Amino acid sequence: MCSLVGDLDSDTCSTAGVALWRAVGSRPGVVCVDMRDVRFCGSAGLNMLLGVRALAEQERVPLAVIAPSRRVERLLELTAAEQLFHIYPHYELAVDDLGRQ
C-alpha cells in the first residue's frame, strides 16, 4: 500500500513515481495506491500513474487505485483513464479481488 497525499504535479511526481516503481519492482501480490488525500492531480500525475501501470503490467503485478479523491476521479473520467485502472473503495477489496489473479 502506497498512500499519496497532497498535490501530484511536476514538482512532486518524481518522488511519488520512484516510490511506486519501487513498490511494483518488489513484485508483491498487489500494489495499492491510496489516493483519497490527493488534492490536485494534473497531467504530470496522470502520466506518472500511467507509467507505473505500464511497469506493473510488464512485471505482472496487479495495480489498484484506492479511494481516489473527487478531483482524481474526475481527471480519470475526463481522460477515460478510469477504464485502465482497477479502482476500489478500500484496499481489502482490491487485495481480495486482485490477489487471486
Side-chain angles (χ1 to χ4, degrees):
M1 170 74 92
C2 296
S3 295
L4 302 179
V5 177
D7 296 344
L8 279 178
D9 56 26
S10 58
D11 292 333
T12 61
C13 281
S14 61
T15 302
V18 167
L20 293 174
W21 279 66
R22 285 183 182 159
V24 170
S26 70
R27 303 193 64 156
V30 179
V31 171
C32 295
V33 183
D34 187 323
M35 299 189 76
R36 76 185 73 238
D37 293 322
V38 174
R39 293 183 311 249
F40 171 81
C41 185
S43 60
L46 178 59
N47 287 330
M48 181 269 302
L49 288 173
L50 291 170
V52 171
R53 178 187 173 275
L55 176 65
E57 275 192 1
Q58 178 184 331
E59 296 294 324
R60 295 193 169 123
V61 174
L63 177 70
V65 172
I66 307 301
S69 67
R70 183 64 195 132
R71 290 178 185 234
V72 172
E73 190 175 55
R74 184 73 176 135
L75 176 66
L76 295 176
E77 288 170 1
L78 288 172
T79 60
E82 83 275 7
Q83 299 172 20
L84 301 174
F85 293 97
H86 300 285
I87 300 174
Y88 293 89
H90 51 84
Y91 79 93
E92 293 93 350
L93 285 175
V95 171
D96 285 348
D97 189 31
L98 298 175
R100 290 183 263 177
Q101 295 184 0

